[in-house]
Amino acid sequence: MLALITPTARLYASWGEAYDEWPADAQQDGAVLRLAPEGGPGRPDAFAARVERLRGQGDATAPVAPGRVHVTHLWIVDGDTCLGAAELRHSLDDFLLDAGGHIGYSVRPSARRRGVASRAPGELLRRASDAGVDRVLVTCDEDDPGSARTIERNGGVLEDVRTTASGTKRRYWITPPPVTPALPVMGPGGIASNELRRWGRAQGFAVPDRGRLPSELLRAWERATEEAGERAE
């Protein structure tokens, strides 16, 4: 089953197999090959160190190197098979505003034409709000109609087509969906009322900041909890 996961050193072998499918001069968006100047996965311990650096680049509380921005890195996988890589840039410098955008992703050659590329943008957009990005710039090459269609299916509104340092780019803006609070669960001390209030407001209920919770909200939570349990069985 396709998923986007946080980079992990346990996929050392599969990452190397994916790397070997690419031409030596290929652009692999999201793969951050600049962290592997020697090429390939390298030794397992070096690969594990690079994975930790990838994970750390999304930490908004940590400083970034000059000329860099905070980036959330994800790997596109099917089980333990690495199919590609994706990244969400938390802000834009001059180059990213002109050509690169907030989102980058790539799929290994053997995994193309399987719908893998269409999965990445939607998942990255859902994570954009968590990273504080309220408008997402997504770009693609002018001669890549498949990527343009994927962006447009995800709500992309074309701003312009321009010549950049990376070629002629179609530049789209997307407003990511709002973050939906997770369904509150019953804990040892009951349900946290503040979590239930947030969840209820996201479902469209008029929920007061204090006092008793509306009975219709409690019934909706009970139904949602039952349905979640049925889906998990």
Side-chain angles (χ1 to χ4, degrees):
M1 181 177 178
L2 289 180
L4 272 74
I5 67 168
T6 301
T8 172
R10 70 178 174 80
L11 294 182
Y12 169 79
S14 184
W15 194 98
E17 292 167 357
Y19 174 87
D20 288 341
E21 291 184 1
W22 293 84
D25 58 349
Q27 172 65 35
Q28 297 185 47
D29 287 337
V32 195
L33 295 182
R34 66 176 179 273
L35 296 184
E38 73 281 4
R43 292 167 49 92
D45 56 345
F47 182 77
R50 287 208 313 272
V51 166
E52 286 305 307
R53 289 173 62 191
L54 283 182
R55 295 163 68 104
Q57 288 180 353
D59 182 359
T61 65
V64 294
R68 303 293 183 190
V69 300
H70 287 104
V71 181
T72 296
H73 294 282
L74 299 167
W75 286 352
I76 309 169
V77 301
D78 184 356
D80 287 336
T81 302
C82 189
L83 304 181
E87 63 184 33
L88 171 66
R89 300 142 193 158
H90 298 191
S91 59
L92 301 176
D93 57 20
D94 290 343
F95 169 75
L96 294 175
L97 178 61
D98 190 48
H102 287 97
I103 285 175
Y105 57 93
S106 58
V107 177
R108 65 190 285 184
S110 65
R112 294 172 185 168
R113 301 185 184 279
R114 291 165 45 186
V116 177
S118 63
R119 176 76 179 269
E123 179 65 22
L124 291 168
L125 286 170
R126 283 188 286 274
R127 293 172 182 252
S129 294
D130 289 334
V133 183
D134 55 9
R135 279 185 85 224
V136 177
L137 176 65
V138 188
T139 72
C140 67
D141 292 335
E142 184 184 27
D143 59 356
D144 187 351
S147 291
R149 285 193 296 270
T150 295
I151 295 169
E152 290 165 2
R153 282 197 297 268
N154 280 279
V157 177
L158 182 68
E159 178 181 44
D160 60 23
V161 180
R162 65 174 64 174
T163 301
T164 75
S166 296
T168 304
K169 297 289 184 179
R170 298 177 64 87
R171 299 171 66 258
Y172 294 86
W173 289 95
I174 304 175
T175 300
V179 177
T180 301
L183 178 66
V185 298
M186 181 74 75
I191 313 167
S193 64
N194 58 339
E195 293 182 7
L196 192 50
R197 290 177 197 277
R198 285 196 296 269
W199 180 82
R201 292 186 184 111
Q203 310 307 310
F205 291 96
V207 184
D209 292 333
R210 298 180 182 83
R212 296 186 60 180
L213 294 167
S215 58
E216 60 269 23
L217 167 59
L218 295 173
R219 288 195 295 270
W221 172 80
E222 291 172 352
R223 288 195 299 270
T225 301
E226 290 174 359
E227 291 171 359
E230 291 171 356
R231 288 194 296 270
E233 291 177 353

mmCIF file of all heavy atoms in Angstrom, residues 36 105 116 131-132 167 197 201:
data_model
loop_
_atom_site.group_PDB
_atom_site.id
_atom_site.type_symbol
_atom_site.label_atom_id
_atom_site.label_comp_id
_atom_site.label_asym_id
_atom_site.label_seq_id
_atom_site.Cartn_x
_atom_site.Cartn_y
_atom_site.Cartn_z
ATOM 1 N N ALA A 36 24.679 13.221 -0.257
ATOM 2 C CA ALA A 36 25.406 12.006 -0.615
ATOM 3 C C ALA A 36 26.375 12.324 -1.751
ATOM 4 O O ALA A 36 26.228 11.827 -2.866
ATOM 5 C CB ALA A 36 24.430 10.907 -1.036
ATOM 6 N N TYR A 105 8.979 16.561 -5.734
ATOM 7 C CA TYR A 105 8.890 15.109 -5.573
ATOM 8 C C TYR A 105 9.368 14.422 -6.843
ATOM 9 O O TYR A 105 9.390 15.010 -7.934
ATOM 10 C CB TYR A 105 7.463 14.655 -5.234
ATOM 11 C CG TYR A 105 6.414 15.065 -6.253
ATOM 12 C CD1 TYR A 105 6.052 14.226 -7.306
ATOM 13 C CD2 TYR A 105 5.767 16.293 -6.152
ATOM 14 C CE1 TYR A 105 5.095 14.607 -8.230
ATOM 15 C CE2 TYR A 105 4.805 16.680 -7.067
ATOM 16 C CZ TYR A 105 4.476 15.830 -8.111
ATOM 17 O OH TYR A 105 3.529 16.212 -9.025
ATOM 18 N N VAL A 116 1.726 6.830 -8.640
ATOM 19 C CA VAL A 116 2.518 7.212 -7.472
ATOM 20 C C VAL A 116 2.658 8.727 -7.385
ATOM 21 O O VAL A 116 2.489 9.328 -6.328
ATOM 22 C CB VAL A 116 3.906 6.543 -7.525
ATOM 23 C CG1 VAL A 116 4.761 7.001 -6.349
ATOM 24 C CG2 VAL A 116 3.763 5.028 -7.519
ATOM 25 N N ALA A 131 2.804 23.002 8.826
ATOM 26 C CA ALA A 131 4.089 23.695 8.755
ATOM 27 C C ALA A 131 3.921 25.211 8.685
ATOM 28 O O ALA A 131 4.906 25.932 8.528
ATOM 29 C CB ALA A 131 4.874 23.196 7.548
ATOM 30 N N GLY A 132 2.675 25.698 8.783
ATOM 31 C CA GLY A 132 2.429 27.129 8.765
ATOM 32 C C GLY A 132 2.395 27.741 7.379
ATOM 33 O O GLY A 132 2.513 28.964 7.235
ATOM 34 N N GLY A 167 14.723 26.670 -16.403
ATOM 35 C CA GLY A 167 13.909 26.421 -17.588
ATOM 36 C C GLY A 167 12.569 27.131 -17.497
ATOM 37 O O GLY A 167 12.311 27.907 -16.571
ATOM 38 N N ARG A 197 -13.934 19.934 21.985
ATOM 39 C CA ARG A 197 -14.424 21.228 21.498
ATOM 40 C C ARG A 197 -13.798 21.555 20.143
ATOM 41 O O ARG A 197 -14.479 22.008 19.219
ATOM 42 C CB ARG A 197 -14.120 22.328 22.512
ATOM 43 C CG ARG A 197 -14.939 22.251 23.797
ATOM 44 C CD ARG A 197 -14.525 23.346 24.774
ATOM 45 N NE ARG A 197 -14.996 23.040 26.121
ATOM 46 C CZ ARG A 197 -16.212 23.304 26.563
ATOM 47 N NH1 ARG A 197 -17.094 23.886 25.764
ATOM 48 N NH2 ARG A 197 -16.572 22.983 27.804
ATOM 49 N N ARG A 201 -15.905 21.922 16.584
ATOM 50 C CA ARG A 201 -15.918 23.124 15.738
ATOM 51 C C ARG A 201 -15.517 22.785 14.307
ATOM 52 O O ARG A 201 -16.061 23.347 13.359
ATOM 53 C CB ARG A 201 -14.981 24.177 16.338
ATOM 54 C CG ARG A 201 -15.480 24.743 17.670
ATOM 55 C CD ARG A 201 -14.602 25.887 18.150
ATOM 56 N NE ARG A 201 -15.034 26.356 19.464
ATOM 57 C CZ ARG A 201 -14.339 26.197 20.585
ATOM 58 N NH1 ARG A 201 -13.163 25.582 20.545
ATOM 59 N NH2 ARG A 201 -14.817 26.642 21.735
#
